[in-house]
Amino acid sequence: MVLKDLDSIMRRFYNLYQGVNMTIQLSVRGMHCGKCVDKVEKFVGEIEGVSLIDVDLQKAQVKVEFSPPATQEMITEAILDAGFDVNANNS
């Protein structure tokens, strides 16, 4: 009985959480040209739940809007996989 209640609570929480859109802005080092921008957009854009990617080459920042199942950790990992460094002091 307790497991059934817990399962019901978890489903409700997940359904509420799914509707939440989040925005992060990351400082990214190593981007120098339009191809770098394209690469970041490609890698981050492959993550399910990402709805917007705005790469500012001059400010070396990437703004991402997303909802579950995407997470900040997945986005950071995608940027690292693309060959760029992400500043640890991101907001």
Side-chain angles (χ1 to χ4, degrees):
M1 184 72 141
V2 172
L3 288 178
K4 236 182 198 182
D5 292 338
L6 181 59
D7 183 54
S8 175
I9 291 168
M10 292 300 290
R11 283 185 197 186
R12 278 188 242 152
F13 176 76
Y14 182 75
N15 288 338
L16 287 172
Y17 186 65
Q18 272 189 311
V20 175
N21 287 329
M22 292 163 273
T23 302
I24 57 171
Q25 190 156 329
L26 303 171
S27 297
V28 178
R29 291 186 309 262
M31 299 185 301
H32 303 291
C33 64
K35 288 189 179 194
C36 295
V37 171
D38 293 343
K39 193 170 185 182
V40 169
E41 289 174 343
K42 178 185 180 297
F43 276 69
V44 175
E46 292 176 348
I47 301 170
E48 183 181 351
V50 171
S51 55
L52 173 82
I53 308 161
D54 181 20
V55 181
D56 187 328
L57 192 57
Q58 287 185 316
K59 293 182 181 178
Q61 293 183 337
V62 177
K63 176 182 173 184
V64 182
E65 290 182 9
F66 64 98
S67 59
T71 64
Q72 181 170 343
E73 291 78 19
M74 292 168 72
I75 294 164
T76 300
E77 188 67 32
I79 294 170
L80 293 171
D81 288 347
F84 305 99
D85 293 321
V86 179
N87 187 342
N89 297 323
N90 292 300
S91 55

